Amino acid sequence: MTDKNKQPAPGWVGGFEQSNQLFSYPNPNLSSLPMLDNMANIDKLQRQQQVLWPEFSWETRKGEKDPKRCYQMFAPDISRLGYTDEGRVFSIICPQQGAYSPQFGALNVEVTVTGQRGWVNEDTKEMAADMEVVGKIWFSPSAKQNKWVKILWDKFADSKLPFPSSKANAIMVTTHNPGNPEQGIFPLIKKQSKNFPIPDFAKHEDEAWDVSHLDVQIGPITKTGNKTVDEFNQLFLDIFNLATGNMLQNGNILSWNVWFTAPDLVDKVEWRNHAEYWRDSIDTGHGSPDGPGTTAKYFDGTPFSAWDSLLHTEEEKVIKSLESWAETKAESLIETRADAEEAMIKHFIEKHGL
């Protein structure tokens, strides 16, 4: 525990939550507020709460009797909540993360906030916010050193097709409020989630100022209109999910307990540059600038194994891929996760004549 984590900076005024009786708990209704562009009001930010412990959780085997829920803390200070002295939220920085694929190398994933609104009350240690986000996945530049990435990268360039080699051409994964695909807005609300058991290693009561949570359901990828690109993007997402235990699987619910440090003052220049600072650090292979998060693990502390998950949930998909280019049984060819990924990539290349 540090003083920074527990002692708020001076200057808190408050009052925004109380400006509308519908804003308050037990059922905060923020619909009277417009959904704001996340970077349009940085000049209004005065105070912030940093997410020093971003604890994520998701099911690696969705729909099964034992869904094998996974828990992982992303890198510290990866996200922040920014607001005025009165408590009106004007910006929310959401996480970026790296993942590794044996055949594709380093992958980037970012949760991009496309709209937000909300309030903070430092006196009660409460907050309520609504968010709209989209998931974005693309190759780290270092991935081009990988044989398969270079082959595909060059072939896409020759065909003048967009390749997810930058955030601008990233694969876009849609999200929505759990159980309501037509509602792209979902709430960030106080306390930890009560939708699943939380292990002790994912709790930070003794260190944090307060905690809130959100749940977002993953939707399909956004289509580009080009069949080859859309099928490759789906392949890329499938391989990303192999690496992360179906974190962004269509229909899965990604839950997030966000543990905050005490409120402090905003450096507006640093806030504007924060996302690029993180992205540059990940892209250049330096990892998270404020240190790594934890490895994904199950409730009992057992580390998540991408290979075990593949054998259980993706075997049928891999066998289907293999059937188009090999007559040998899949079991005799697939001995590692790298073999499985290579099979899926070869199938894609042959199918599209690349």
Side-chain angles (χ1 to χ4, degrees):
M1 185 191 311
T2 67
D3 289 342
K4 178 183 177 182
N5 294 348
K6 289 292 188 178
Q7 298 299 320
W12 169 249
V13 175
F16 185 71
E17 177 203 348
Q18 295 83 359
S19 66
N20 187 324
Q21 63 180 0
L22 296 178
F23 288 169
S24 300
Y25 283 93
N27 299 300
N29 183 337
L30 309 179
S31 59
S32 62
L33 298 174
M35 294 295 287
L36 299 173
D37 182 281
N38 202 41
M39 298 300 287
N41 295 283
I42 305 304
D43 289 341
K44 297 177 181 177
L45 299 179
Q46 295 167 302
R47 301 178 71 79
Q48 65 179 355
Q49 293 184 36
Q50 297 170 260
V51 182
L52 207 56
W53 304 274
E55 295 283 359
F56 281 79
S57 180
W58 66 95
E59 294 178 346
T60 63
R61 301 180 185 178
K62 179 174 63 72
E64 297 193 14
K65 185 176 181 180
D66 179 6
K68 300 292 286 185
R69 177 169 288 276
C70 219
Y71 304 82
Q72 182 178 19
M73 190 185 85
F74 281 17
D77 195 22
I78 203 167
S79 304
R80 298 182 187 179
L81 185 73
Y83 51 98
T84 63
D85 290 341
E86 292 73 29
R88 181 171 183 177
V89 172
F90 275 113
S91 188
I92 301 174
I93 296 176
C94 263
Q96 298 176 54
Q97 183 79 339
Y100 177 77
S101 153
Q103 297 298 342
F104 278 169
L107 316 175
N108 288 343
V109 59
E110 176 179 298
V111 180
T112 302
V113 178
T114 56
Q116 46 69 36
R117 61 190 176 196
W119 58 261
V120 171
N121 187 333
E122 292 185 11
D123 295 324
T124 60
K125 293 189 178 181
E126 293 180 341
M127 64 185 63
D130 287 340
M131 300 170 60
E132 293 175 303
V133 306
V134 61
K136 297 184 179 182
I137 309 173
W138 69 96
F139 288 105
S140 170
S142 62
K144 196 173 183 181
Q145 299 170 15
N146 182 284
K147 177 185 73 172
W148 288 112
V149 174
K150 188 176 188 313
I151 289 172
L152 289 164
W153 200 316
D154 292 344
K155 288 183 180 296
F156 269 57
D158 291 343
S159 303
K160 294 182 169 46
L161 296 174
F163 189 70
S165 56
S166 66
K167 184 178 177 181
N169 287 329
I171 299 166
M172 310 278 280
V173 182
T174 61
T175 67
H176 55 266
N177 202 20
N180 188 356
E182 303 303 314
Q183 178 54 269
I185 299 173
F186 51 89
L188 171 69
I189 53 180
K190 68 177 184 178
K191 307 301 181 185
Q192 297 181 78
S193 175
K194 296 182 179 179
N195 294 332
F196 53 87
I198 301 172
D200 288 341
F201 61 75
K203 298 177 182 178
H204 303 276
E205 290 101 333
D206 294 338
E207 306 164 287
W209 160 261
D210 63 358
V211 59
S212 296
H213 74 275
L214 61 84
D215 298 301
V216 59
Q217 191 160 23
I218 307 301
I221 61 174
T222 299
K223 300 292 187 182
T224 67
N226 182 286
K227 183 178 179 181
T228 299
V229 175
D230 289 340
E231 289 194 13
F232 176 75
N233 287 350
Q234 186 61 56
L235 168 69
F236 188 16
L237 180 59
D238 290 343
I239 288 179
F240 174 85
N241 279 325
L242 295 185
T244 61
N246 295 317
M247 181 187 292
L248 297 183
Q249 180 183 22
N250 191 359
N252 214 354
I253 295 176
L254 186 59
S255 299
W256 185 20
N257 286 325
V258 286
W259 296 84
F260 295 97
T261 58
D264 61 353
L265 304 182
V266 169
D267 178 334
K268 295 171 186 176
V269 173
E270 190 277 340
W271 187 285
R272 290 184 188 278
N273 295 334
H274 184 81
E276 289 298 329
Y277 171 64
W278 272 80
R279 189 176 306 119
D280 289 346
S281 181
I282 292 174
D283 276 352
T284 54
H286 296 158
S288 305
D290 292 299
T294 63
T295 57
K297 48 194 171 186
Y298 302 114
F299 186 89
D300 65 359
T302 303
F304 164 76
S305 166
W307 177 239
D308 289 346
S309 180
L310 165 67
L311 289 179
H312 184 85
T313 64
E314 297 291 341
E315 185 176 16
E316 189 174 312
K317 180 183 295 183
V318 175
I319 290 173
K320 185 176 180 181
S321 295
L322 280 165
E323 285 174 349
S324 68
W325 66 275
E327 297 178 357
T328 319
K329 288 186 177 180
E331 290 81 357
S332 66
L333 289 174
I334 299 178
E335 298 179 352
T336 68
R337 177 178 149 209
D339 293 338
E341 290 188 4
E342 184 168 347
M344 297 166 78
I345 294 166
K346 285 183 176 179
H347 170 57
F348 174 83
I349 290 174
E350 292 188 3
K351 178 179 178 181
H352 291 277
L354 297 176

